[in-house]
Amino acid sequence: MSIFFFLNYRLLSLLEREDWPALAYYLEQKIYVKGRYNLRYIRLLASSYLVISDYLSVLKLESKAQLVKPSLITKNVLIFGAARVLNSNPAEAVVFFKTHMEKCNPKDKQWVQWFYGFSLLLAGAFDEVEPVFSLLSVSSSDALITGLSAYFLTSSLEKRSKTPEKCTQLAENGKKRVVKTIKNLSGWKKEIEKFGSDIHIAIVKKYIDETGTWLFG
């Protein structure tokens, strides 16, 4: 442990201080200058860029990592996709999430599917997003994904749906699935805490909070 701390003192101290610009510069030296394209450095640098709203640098990092080690992209689909969402490029986000849906880590797949739907929603492709959120609201094993999908069905898609009654029914089914397991708003908040500071959760935190209110009042 002492050796690990000594070797990573600079990195750990920057993380502790939450000095994101300095952390980004430190990691740029490790990755771009010394060529250390490893998973931890890539994830930390991309996340640092997102925190300071430097979305173009995230895409630059993605391009370079794609050339050197493509697996780093498939292991960080949510982070690189989030950059497109935050950079107000929903059309690009749609293509990115769709392309990587079957390549991403299995543990991320349902979130990648959800963000694919969310990007379609931002792009105004309402007919295409409805089946995505409909499926997730009744089949997802993740309570947050189920709740979010059901919430958007009723808040954004029902009034635009060609089958509004079905849309409402699916939303209510999703709501019942969540309430059956989570029980109350306190449980919903604990579910959010499981994800810690994951960047893909942070960027939709507003909608997660709105969903909690819709689910539990």
Side-chain angles (χ1 to χ4, degrees), residues 18 20 47 51 111 142 144 188-205 208-209:
E18 297 186 355
W20 305 114
S47 298
V51 171
W111 273 111
D142 186 290
L144 293 188
W188 180 255
K189 292 178 179 178
K190 289 180 180 177
E191 193 70 20
I192 299 169
E193 290 172 1
K194 292 180 182 179
F195 290 90
S197 57
D198 285 1
I199 199 75
H200 66 282
I201 297 296
I203 69 173
V204 292
K205 182 64 164 53
I208 293 175
D209 291 341

Side-chain angles (χ1 to χ4, degrees), residues 103-142:
K103 304 175 185 177
C104 65
N105 284 339
K107 66 181 182 64
D108 293 333
K109 185 173 181 178
Q110 289 184 43
W111 273 111
V112 172
Q113 290 174 323
W114 187 86
F115 270 98
Y116 168 64
F118 183 60
S119 301
L120 284 169
L121 184 66
L122 295 177
F126 304 114
D127 288 344
E128 294 178 61
V129 67
E130 186 177 338
V132 177
F133 283 166
S134 295
L135 178 63
L136 290 173
S137 70
V138 298
S139 66
S140 175
S141 58
D142 186 290

